[in-house]
Amino acid sequence: MTAPPELFASDPSSRVRPVHDEFHGDLLEVSMGPHHPSTHGVFRMNVTLDGETVVKLKPVLGYLHRNHEKIGEKASYLGSLPFTDRLDYFCSMTNSWAYALAVEKLTGQAVPERAEYLRVILAELTRLINHTCLAGFLLQDGGASGTPLMYAFREREKILDLFESLSGSRMMCNYQRFGGCRVDPSPAWLEGAQRVTDGYGAFLDEFESLLTGNEILMARTQGIGRLAPALAVSAGVTGPMLRASGVDYDLRKVDGYGIYPRFAFRIPLGDHGDTYDRYMIRILEMRESIGILRQALRDIPGGPCLDPGAKLRGLRPKAGEAYARIEGPKGEIGFYLISDGSPSPYRYRVRPPSFINLTLLEDLCLGHTVADAVVILGSIDIVLGEVDR
Amino acid sequence: METPEQIRDRLLARFPGAPVTLVPNGAPGGQASLLLEPSQAREMAEFLRDDPSLQLDFCSNMTGVDWPQAGCLEAVYHLYSMARKHGPLVIRQRTANRADGAAVASLTPVWRSAEFQEREAFDLFGIGFTGHPDLRRILMWDGFEDHPMRKDYAEPDDYEWEPTPHDAVLAKARLHYASAPVAPPAKEASP
Amino acid sequence: MLGTGLLHGLKVTAKNLVGSFHDPARYVTTEYPEVKAPQPENARSFPFLVSESAADPMGTMRCVACQICEKECPPQCIYIEKSKDKKPGPDGRMQLYPAVFDIDISVCMSCQICVEVCPFDAIRMDQIFEIATTERFSALLFDREKLAKPNAYYHQLHPTEAAEVDARRQAAEAKTRAKAAKPASVQPPTAPGAKAQNPPGNAP
């Protein structure tokens, strides 16, 4: 059963059929979460069930709301950088790249070439981490008790070791700066990155032979949570979830930010828009990321990793506003900054991909069983640090 | 894609009598934005979405801004086009005041992506959105009062002792504890 | 045949299971706390203050209480009180020192911005993480005495970085000494007593 095709359900309660029907029992309202192993953080869904079928689903958010945007208004521009790491805590490199890009747009700051290559290398490594772990978590939600997840984490450790030896910290890297990157990697680090990249293809082959053809995975995810392309575009869905529905929109190609136009890579698109497609798109994107990494590591030039004229401490951009966005692993992550000439932004806004992708959770889950709702949520790829900020 | 000036001219031609103002942007290479009147904002948004040369079908970001000095709240939308792969166009709507009933037109019927983001702007800023299908708080709990992202938001006085208070926090500490910040009060120093 | 996907999967798990007995790439668990995984040189946990000599950490701190780190710290976990008097610093000049320098490490987020903005190489990142305690406030508030560690310790933790810092400081010192020793200059030479407090960079 698929969700009705109208773009917007004006009255969700109209789908709830009346109770006290002699052939059916009552409806049951279940609160899934916020303490729930499958909700990817403190996330709650109020699900109304007819037997096992979902007839209404209302997400309840805000359990991890830290008012990050207000902190951004109080801290200086440099001081907000470590906080951006904590938004989508799996992908600290891409969050801080998006923020650095927004500040660079606001000030007109240039970035040296080596730093652009480094940013691409780290962003693609982050994409590998995110998609691998997502496949693991999706299977975990599907009931695979952690085996694919642990293989994913084992591989992720290699990349986290790279991040630790480069920036000092595994996850909260605080690495990007306005005008480049904070630390210049040594040749030994680049060799290590090359080794990880070369070994990743073999890991993906093994991972796929475990998962992709698995009958249980296919039965649980194919045809589940179909997303029509028109609805996806209207709902502002971005990232792999959008491309799984067949819409060709990847910011690395559309905006061509940084130096992405120099790299040859393809954008995988899905045909059905169901959960299995969302899983497969991520696997295919990982293979493309390995290709980008090889090219970037081969071509990275020498030079400074931070623009010598970059101002970090006491930055006071001229009054104005800027919106910068990048293709993060979860979708389009953007930062909207309004400056009034003072050391802190007047308005600091994060455009969170997970939050906006969640708009369609109810639409995707209606008509499916409650077990499918968990799998669909897993395929949307949310991180509560980003949803709630 | 056309410049904001050209789009403004087309909107003025298409909707005579409805004011559309260009808001300049001081950042280097910054793009100007269009200020729309809430009473016509929905029709104008549909025009922007459906016009064949613009096709702005993707509302990427929607947010609220508090301007206490100007005495208004503002809703900002960043529009892109997935069909034509161009953008952005930034449109804004402003409320008349910052009172409780301040509202603008909801653009959720035009772009579904505004649904949660308008709820967030309502929750954190207090901007009402007429025509929103389900306008209630999203990040704060349902019984919460006040709007945390406003510039004049007064944080609740639930201060707990901190060893390294600064500035505003130090002032709060002095209100609560006679000796700050050297030692916690005796009742909290239990093992 | 239905089930071939499952069989392929079982082959993978079997390879991993059997491999975990003999292949270090398959068995990646480090049996902490008996075995500790080595930390890379760049790893950071919490800040510490650098003192020139281990014999007198309070007296030879590089910190001059300029309070830049306090201002730039994003979660505001540093608390500094300047001294009322001045003490001779490593280069012989009289300078302020921090009478109070507290870092609340339950608030510190290890972002390392204090290290980046310090103009005097006085604060650096430590790598200790086994500092769990049962007291909630006082044991997680590190004061001057707990934070000050000698330069030799810094060399142990971050050898490349420490060598760079020392080279830079020695070059700057040599420049100031050369300027002071010029005959045309009317500046008095630095006091001999001050030199004794200025050991060569690598001394313990």
Side-chain angles (χ1 to χ4, degrees):
Chain A
M1 275 176 65
T2 52
E6 63 251 20
L7 282 187
F8 190 75
S10 54
D11 182 15
S13 63
S14 63
R15 286 203 208 90
V16 179
R17 51 146 195 76
V19 293
H20 310 308
D21 181 323
E22 67 212 61
F23 297 111
H24 299 92
D26 288 340
L27 296 177
L28 178 66
E29 183 159 331
V30 178
S31 166
M32 293 179 65
H35 293 286
H36 193 289
S38 290
T39 54
H40 296 259
V42 277
F43 174 65
R44 181 168 158 217
M45 301 188 275
N46 284 337
V47 182
T48 307
L49 297 172
D50 173 12
E52 268 208 50
T53 319
V54 173
V55 293
K56 188 161 124 173
L57 189 153
K58 287 293 169 211
V60 181
L61 310 172
Y63 289 95
L64 194 47
H65 180 62
R66 300 157 287 184
N67 217 348
H68 173 246
E69 298 183 355
K70 195 144 197 134
I71 297 177
E73 285 177 16
K74 296 216 162 107
S76 62
Y77 285 90
L78 179 64
S80 282
L81 260 168
F83 289 114
T84 58
D85 291 338
R86 285 147 172 88
L87 281 170
D88 171 1
Y89 33 81
F90 272 97
C91 311
S92 82
M93 294 288 187
T94 45
N95 298 344
S96 31
W97 184 4
Y99 176 60
L101 206 58
V103 176
E104 284 157 13
K105 232 171 146 175
L106 198 56
T107 55
Q109 171 75 48
V111 179
E113 210 171 294
R114 185 173 170 87
E116 294 278 20
Y117 274 89
L118 282 173
R119 284 177 169 180
V120 168
I121 292 172
L122 294 166
E124 296 307 316
L125 283 173
T126 307
R127 202 177 310 272
L128 287 178
I129 298 182
N130 178 277
H131 288 343
T132 314
C133 288
L134 181 87
F137 280 119
L138 179 66
L139 269 295
Q140 164 96 342
D141 290 347
S145 296
T147 304
L149 182 63
M150 287 302 122
Y151 295 166
F153 268 56
R154 189 175 58 192
E155 206 61 27
R156 174 176 176 246
E157 284 297 309
K158 300 183 184 151
I159 300 182
L160 291 184
D161 284 341
L162 281 178
F163 285 175
E164 193 180 17
S165 56
L166 178 65
S167 77
S169 167
R170 287 149 50 94
M171 281 165 62
M172 308 301 162
C173 302
N174 189 17
Y175 183 71
Q176 313 285 358
R177 288 289 182 265
F178 320 130
C181 303
R182 174 167 59 89
V183 178
D184 201 5
S186 59
W189 188 88
L190 290 168
E191 275 168 46
Q194 186 71 53
R195 269 199 302 273
V196 168
T197 311
D198 292 338
Y200 221 86
F203 161 71
L204 274 183
D205 291 336
E206 187 182 281
F207 205 53
E208 275 207 88
S209 77
L210 175 65
L211 297 179
T212 302
N214 190 296
E215 284 82 0
I216 303 179
L217 173 67
M218 291 199 285
R220 287 227 43 198
T221 57
Q222 283 179 345
I224 304 293
R226 269 180 210 273
L227 177 57
L231 181 58
V233 171
S234 168
V237 168
T238 51
M241 192 173 164
L242 176 71
R243 294 191 282 279
S245 298
V247 180
D248 182 8
Y249 197 76
D250 184 321
L251 295 180
R252 295 175 289 174
K253 295 276 193 196
V254 169
D255 280 356
Y257 58 92
I259 46 164
Y260 272 109
R262 294 189 202 179
F263 300 109
F265 61 101
R266 297 172 296 178
I267 303 295
L269 296 176
D271 288 327
H272 311 276
D274 58 8
T275 304
Y276 188 73
D277 271 3
R278 291 194 274 275
Y279 156 79
M280 267 319 288
I281 291 291
R282 291 181 167 107
I283 300 283
L284 295 171
E285 277 192 8
M286 279 199 271
R287 299 227 186 245
E288 296 301 320
S289 287
I290 296 176
I292 300 177
L293 273 169
R294 285 220 174 90
Q295 294 167 55
L297 285 166
R298 182 193 66 203
D299 296 337
I300 182 169
C305 69
L306 183 63
D307 186 58
K311 186 154 170 61
L312 298 174
R313 215 187 114 219
L315 178 66
R316 287 169 176 258
K318 273 191 358 212
E321 63 177 46
Y323 177 66
R325 56 184 197 159
I326 68 165
E327 181 75 24
K330 298 190 159 56
E332 171 188 323
I333 176 154
F335 279 79
Y336 174 52
L337 295 171
I338 301 184
S339 158
D340 58 353
S342 69
S344 311
Y346 184 83
R347 175 78 175 102
Y348 168 101
R349 153 83 179 169
V350 183
R351 189 263 183 209
S354 311
F355 181 63
I356 295 172
N357 290 357
L358 269 184
T359 312
L360 294 181
L361 183 61
E362 182 176 16
D363 295 63
L364 294 179
C365 290
L366 287 175
H368 292 299
T369 64
V370 66
D372 295 332
V374 170
V375 169
I376 292 171
L377 179 65
S379 74
I380 295 182
D381 195 1
I382 62 169
V383 165
L384 265 295
E386 194 173 62
V387 170
D388 289 342
R389 281 150 290 137
Chain B
M1 197 182 86
E2 303 156 36
T3 65
E5 288 83 5
Q6 290 169 315
I7 300 178
R8 176 205 49 191
D9 295 336
R10 284 181 61 197
L11 280 170
L12 286 171
R14 175 80 174 71
F15 299 94
V20 177
T21 337
L22 202 68
V23 178
N25 181 0
Q31 195 191 2
S33 47
L34 297 180
L35 176 63
L36 307 181
E37 206 46 38
S39 48
Q40 276 92 15
R42 173 99 47 92
E43 287 91 26
M44 292 191 182
E46 279 169 358
F47 169 75
L48 291 171
R49 182 192 62 185
D50 300 330
D51 176 68
S53 67
L54 287 174
Q55 280 187 288
L56 294 168
D57 49 9
F58 171 41
C59 175
S60 163
N61 176 37
M62 182 273 144
T63 186
V65 190
D66 185 19
W67 299 105
Q69 284 175 327
C72 70
L73 299 159
E74 190 177 51
V76 184
Y77 299 76
H78 285 79
L79 307 173
Y80 287 81
S81 170
M82 283 200 190
R84 293 184 158 261
K85 305 212 180 357
H86 64 205
L89 174 68
V90 187
I91 61 177
R92 313 173 103 97
Q93 294 185 71
R94 286 190 187 149
T95 61
N97 51 45
R98 292 168 79 239
D100 272 339
V104 296
S106 165
L107 299 185
T108 303
V110 185
W111 295 288
R112 179 86 187 271
S113 68
E115 183 186 347
F116 276 17
Q117 301 185 81
E118 282 180 353
R119 274 179 68 183
E120 184 188 328
F122 166 69
D123 183 4
L124 298 180
F125 287 92
I127 307 175
F129 289 93
T130 46
H132 192 283
D134 184 17
L135 192 64
R136 57 193 164 95
R137 287 190 180 265
I138 188 168
L139 291 176
M140 306 306 292
W141 60 92
D142 279 331
F144 188 80
E145 295 177 4
D146 210 349
H147 300 284
M149 277 297 290
R150 290 210 180 173
K151 298 284 180 185
D152 53 2
Y153 173 66
E155 287 172 6
D157 187 21
D158 50 5
Y159 181 74
E160 193 189 66
W161 183 78
E162 263 182 57
T164 58
H166 280 267
D167 316 320
V169 181
L170 185 58
K172 267 198 213 178
R174 294 232 160 86
L175 282 176
H176 284 254
Y177 304 112
S179 66
V182 177
K187 63 173 162 57
E188 292 198 72
S190 49
Chain C
M1 180 189 88
L2 183 71
T4 40
L6 280 167
L7 286 176
H8 282 304
L10 286 172
K11 243 189 353 205
V12 171
T13 46
K15 199 161 54 155
N16 276 284
L17 175 62
V18 172
S20 69
F21 286 98
H22 63 85
D23 183 3
R26 299 277 176 206
Y27 182 73
V28 291
T29 307
T30 308
E31 277 142 17
Y32 183 86
E34 287 89 19
V35 178
K36 294 197 212 253
Q39 286 184 296
E41 186 187 326
N42 272 349
R44 56 180 202 255
S45 67
F46 296 110
F48 73 95
L49 292 169
V50 184
S51 300
E52 296 292 352
S53 90
D56 181 16
M58 291 297 112
T60 57
M61 263 199 297
R62 289 180 185 166
C63 176
V64 301
C66 66
Q67 295 181 302
I68 291 181
C69 60
E70 188 184 29
K71 251 193 314 236
E72 295 293 327
C73 172
Q76 308 254 288
C77 69
I78 303 182
Y79 181 78
I80 298 177
E81 266 179 29
K82 286 192 207 272
S83 60
K84 300 277 189 302
D85 61 321
K86 291 195 179 190
K87 268 206 318 231
D91 62 349
R93 278 190 296 183
M94 301 297 275
Q95 55 198 21
L96 292 171
Y97 61 93
V100 174
F101 195 115
D102 290 342
I103 295 186
D104 183 359
I105 60 165
S106 66
V107 173
C108 171
M109 56 178 183
S110 312
C111 68
Q112 205 232 37
I113 284 184
C114 54
V115 169
E116 254 178 270
V117 297
C118 176
F120 300 98
D121 308 307
I123 186 167
R124 286 285 183 247
M125 292 311 275
D126 206 341
Q127 289 182 344
I128 48 167
F129 55 90
E130 290 149 327
I131 42 181
T133 117
T134 48
E135 279 185 7
R136 189 175 165 199
F137 290 117
S138 42
L140 290 179
L141 179 69
F142 282 15
D143 57 9
R144 242 177 17 153
E145 278 72 23
K146 209 151 173 201
L147 286 172
K149 298 195 178 168
N151 197 13
Y153 177 70
Y154 180 35
H155 274 270
Q156 255 182 312
L157 285 186
H158 309 281
T160 335
E161 214 183 286
E164 247 171 29
V165 170
D166 279 351
R168 190 173 18 96
R169 286 173 76 85
Q170 278 174 337
E173 250 173 74
K175 230 168 54 173
T176 23
R177 255 185 304 210
K179 240 198 315 193
K182 263 203 276 207
S185 144
V186 294
Q187 284 174 354
T190 45
K195 283 278 177 58
Q197 280 184 18
N198 189 18
N202 289 337

